[in-house]
Amino acid sequence: MLPPSEKWELFTSIVSGQFTQREAAAKWRVDRSTVTTICRSAKEGALAALSARPGRPGKTPEQVELEDARAELEQLRATITAQAVELHLYRGKSRWD
């Protein structure tokens, strides 16, 4: 298990032509399939980052759901407060004897 910095070093050394995949696997003492996986992951990550639109990133589905839940909670609080005020006005102030 290589740390991310070593994976990056491995990937850049292959891309720059310093090592072949076989040589990189021998140097970092990993299987050639691991080298292939690291290169594929780095390429996919780079393409995903480069294809992102400029500006603010969009909200995740979890963030949207959380905002909706907070808005609903605020609406329910306002409704309960309004009903409590209406009930208080309807029944009047009770005594605390």
Side-chain angles (χ1 to χ4, degrees):
M1 196 70 177
L2 296 174
S5 59
E6 289 187 29
K7 289 178 182 179
W8 178 251
E9 186 179 342
L10 183 149
F11 172 70
T12 56
S13 68
I14 291 173
V15 171
S16 66
Q18 292 175 344
F19 295 105
T20 64
Q21 287 189 357
R22 178 178 288 149
E23 293 168 341
K27 180 181 180 200
W28 276 276
R29 296 184 178 142
V30 294
D31 189 63
R32 284 179 53 196
S33 64
T34 302
V35 172
T36 304
T37 302
I38 291 170
C39 291
R40 186 180 323 113
S41 296
K43 180 181 176 183
E44 288 172 359
L47 289 174
L50 292 172
S51 68
R53 291 183 177 181
R56 265 192 189 162
K59 295 179 183 177
T60 64
E62 293 82 14
Q63 289 172 328
V64 172
E65 187 177 344
L66 181 60
E67 286 181 2
D68 290 346
R70 285 182 175 155
E72 183 181 2
L73 177 63
E74 193 57 40
Q75 179 189 8
L76 291 172
R77 281 185 180 155
T79 301
I80 290 171
T81 302
Q83 288 177 345
V85 168
E86 186 177 333
L87 183 61
H88 176 74
L89 293 174
Y90 176 74
R91 289 188 178 171
K93 186 174 181 181
S94 63
R95 297 179 61 119
W96 289 86
D97 297 335

